[in-house]
């Protein structure tokens, strides 16, 4: 079961059915969806994706997916999941353009990474980022991610694979 996480300014909690409109609005915003998955999708596809969070991801406890809230409002989306693409756990995050530029992306990414290390017991956390997405690449580098390799996509674009390894001082003594 996806737990609730709190940061200084954000609340990450499992989605509820009433989040559907906010989820669809977030994913239908081209400034967000251009960097998510295969890019912009139809509204129907985004609604179906939202439904699968409940019928598949939560129902089968496949991985952690969060609604990201600030002051009670849905402002983003976050995940951490095992993927074959990176051969480990990958973080995924998105914020509404209205809240960007205030450090919330860093706060969100750090929270997911900390969850991966502290709760899931991971020693490496990955992220995949479209090469032109300089804002996300800069954010990830700033919080300790390093470039691992590039993936050449079928459409000719490049996806960067980055990793953050648990530093010895971050390991919890048992």
């Amino acid at each position: 079961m996806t737990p609730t996480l709190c940061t200084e300014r954000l609340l990450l909690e499992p989605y509820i059915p009433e989040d559907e409109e906010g989820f669809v609005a977030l994913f239908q915003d081209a400034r967000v969806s251009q960097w998510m998955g295969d890019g912009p999708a139809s509204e129907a596809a985004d609604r179906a994706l939202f439904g699968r969070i409940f019928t598949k991801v939560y129902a089968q406890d496949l991985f952690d997916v969060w609604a990201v809230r600030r002051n009670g409002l849905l402002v983003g989306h976050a995940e951490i999941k095992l993927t074959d693409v990176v051969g480990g756990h990958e973080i995924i995050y998105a914020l509404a353009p209205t809240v960007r530029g205030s450090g919330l992306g860093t706060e969100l990414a750090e929270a997911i990474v900390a969850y991966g290390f502290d709760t899931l017991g991971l020693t490496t956390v990955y992220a995949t980022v479209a090469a032109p997405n300089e804002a996300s690449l800069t954010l990830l580098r700033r919080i300790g991610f390093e470039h691992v390799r590039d993936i050449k996509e079928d459409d000719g674009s490049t996806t960067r694979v980055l990793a953050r390894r648990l530093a010895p001082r971050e390991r919890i003594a048992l």
Side-chain angles (χ1 to χ4, degrees), residues 20-21 23-30 33-34 36 38-52:
E20 183 173 357
E21 294 308 317
F23 176 93
V24 170
L26 179 70
F27 278 70
Q28 284 292 294
D29 188 320
S33 62
Q34 71 177 330
M36 300 295 290
D38 293 326
S42 69
E43 181 178 333
D46 286 339
R47 288 188 188 283
L49 176 62
F50 183 78
R52 285 192 304 277

Side-chain angles (χ1 to χ4, degrees), residues 19-168:
D19 289 326
E20 183 173 357
E21 294 308 317
F23 176 93
V24 170
L26 179 70
F27 278 70
Q28 284 292 294
D29 188 320
R31 295 167 294 179
V32 174
S33 62
Q34 71 177 330
W35 307 120
M36 300 295 290
D38 293 326
S42 69
E43 181 178 333
D46 286 339
R47 288 188 188 283
L49 176 62
F50 183 78
R52 285 192 304 277
I53 290 172
F54 295 94
T55 62
K56 191 169 184 170
V57 177
Y58 290 160
Q60 298 175 25
D61 198 21
L62 296 179
F63 54 90
D64 296 298
V65 179
W66 294 276
V68 180
R69 302 184 197 285
R70 181 166 189 221
N71 299 325
L73 300 174
L74 180 68
V75 297
H77 172 86
E79 306 175 16
I80 186 167
K81 63 183 177 183
L82 186 62
T83 63
D84 292 336
V85 172
V86 299
H89 283 75
E90 175 183 5
I91 64 167
I92 297 166
Y93 57 92
L95 284 173
T98 55
V99 298
R100 291 183 186 162
S102 61
L104 291 177
T106 299
E107 194 171 316
L108 176 57
E110 286 278 32
I112 308 166
V113 169
Y115 174 77
F117 290 154
D118 299 343
T119 302
L120 299 180
L122 305 175
T123 57
T124 305
V125 174
Y126 295 90
T128 57
V129 181
N133 188 348
E134 283 298 327
S136 195
L137 289 168
T138 299
L139 180 156
L140 291 167
R141 286 183 191 116
R142 189 172 50 245
I143 65 169
F145 278 78
E146 296 177 349
H147 180 259
V148 175
R149 63 184 166 92
D150 288 339
I151 299 170
K152 196 61 142 175
E153 302 292 351
D154 292 338
D155 65 1
S157 66
T158 300
T159 298
R160 306 252 188 259
V161 177
L162 298 100
R164 179 167 162 191
R165 289 170 178 75
L166 184 66

